Amino acid sequence: MEREPSKRALQIRSVISVLVIVVLWETAARAGLASPLFLPAFTAVMAEWWTVCADGSLPADLLTSLFRAFAGLFAATLIGVGLGIAMARSRLVHWIFDPVIALAFPSPKIAFLPIFILWFGIYSTSKILLVAFACVFPIVIGTYAAASAINRVWIWSAYSLGTSNLTLLFRIVLPAAWPRIFAALRVALPVSLITTFTAEMVGGGGGMGAALMYSQRFFESPTVFAYILTMLVVGLLLDAIMLRIQTAFPAWHSNA
């Protein structure tokens, strides 16, 4: 029976894969297989990355984008968790909101960007609200599924002991539903980043996406690739942090 690779082996394999891609990238660029306009050398991209970091432009753009993404995700979490639990606990609330969620969830949220810009301007407010709008639906659906799956015996036992609705929420419902809620948040996190970067690319107003498109208009290819690589690394690091938190707290895992 074939043994599964260890965690260390998987990490080494991932590093080797990345190194192979970097070597092929650098080789192709240095060999002139593609124009530097379309594929600058990896070393040139890293040199430009260091330049934009040293002058403060990339860190400032990154902080702007992360603020918008996290603020929107935070708002979506507050609304989504509350609404999801309310839908699971109340038939009336479920009857009112279920058709709305079923209609809005599959829609491309970035298509609403012109409306958000028209109502709230091109800067942070429109981006934050659009992120919240994009992230709230997976959180609502995940929370509703989690709260609906709670063992009814726990609920009945708590009521039989005279537990109030507020105590039931914080002592039974939220702890039991949290693993699946956390899984929904892990899904919503990359959605918040994607929505933020895309909204900035399309609507401007500063941030990573706007800076990337500005560089592209002036054919500053190393800067474009530097920003793209930063976006990829930030997404990877944030997902790794979420996974580490989930591992550190086993009760937050959906299989717990």
Side-chain angles (χ1 to χ4, degrees):
M1 184 176 181
E2 186 179 356
R3 293 179 56 188
E4 293 186 0
S6 64
K7 183 178 180 180
R8 176 73 65 176
L10 291 174
Q11 291 175 344
I12 294 174
R13 186 175 65 183
S14 299
V15 171
I16 292 175
S17 299
V18 172
L19 290 177
V20 169
I21 293 174
V22 169
V23 170
L24 292 176
W25 177 358
E26 183 72 15
T27 302
R30 295 297 179 183
L33 299 180
S35 170
L37 177 64
F38 302 114
L39 185 66
F42 179 77
T43 51
V45 173
M46 294 310 298
E48 180 63 22
W49 180 85
W50 178 258
T51 300
V52 293
C53 284
D55 65 20
S57 56
L58 190 148
D61 292 329
L62 179 59
L63 288 176
T64 299
S65 295
L66 290 180
F67 166 72
R68 292 167 174 172
F70 289 152
L73 182 61
F74 179 74
T77 300
L78 293 180
I79 298 172
V81 171
L83 182 57
I85 291 177
M87 290 175 62
R89 303 291 299 153
S90 170
R91 291 185 178 180
L92 177 62
V93 176
H94 181 270
W95 182 82
I96 293 174
F97 286 98
D98 185 62
V100 177
I101 294 173
L103 176 65
F105 177 58
S107 63
K109 309 304 183 297
I110 197 64
F112 293 86
L113 179 60
I115 298 175
F116 279 78
I117 290 177
L118 180 64
W119 290 348
F120 306 107
I122 66 171
Y123 294 104
S124 292
T125 302
S126 61
K127 309 299 191 301
I128 292 171
L129 293 177
L130 183 65
V131 170
F133 179 63
C135 294
V136 71
F137 297 104
I139 296 175
V140 169
I141 293 173
T143 302
Y144 169 75
S148 299
I150 296 176
N151 193 328
R152 295 294 178 183
V153 176
W154 299 351
I155 306 295
W156 298 333
S157 299
Y159 277 136
S160 68
L161 295 174
T163 304
S164 65
N165 288 328
L166 187 62
T167 303
L168 180 72
L169 173 64
F170 288 100
R171 297 295 298 273
I172 302 294
V173 176
L174 279 177
W178 180 247
R180 292 190 181 183
I181 295 175
F182 189 83
L185 292 178
R186 191 180 172 194
V187 172
L189 177 60
V191 173
S192 69
L193 295 175
I194 293 170
T195 304
T196 300
F197 294 149
T198 306
E200 291 169 348
M201 290 179 186
V202 176
M208 294 286 290
L212 189 151
M213 294 304 295
Y214 180 84
S215 300
Q216 184 270 334
R217 290 190 186 100
F218 289 94
F219 301 102
E220 299 172 354
S221 297
T223 307
V224 171
F225 278 86
Y227 272 77
I228 291 175
L229 289 179
T230 302
M231 291 177 180
L232 294 176
V233 172
V234 167
L236 182 63
L237 288 177
L238 290 177
D239 184 70
I241 291 172
M242 293 287 284
L243 184 60
R244 181 60 61 89
I245 293 174
Q246 193 177 56
T247 304
F249 298 91
W252 292 10
H253 198 283
S254 58
N255 294 326

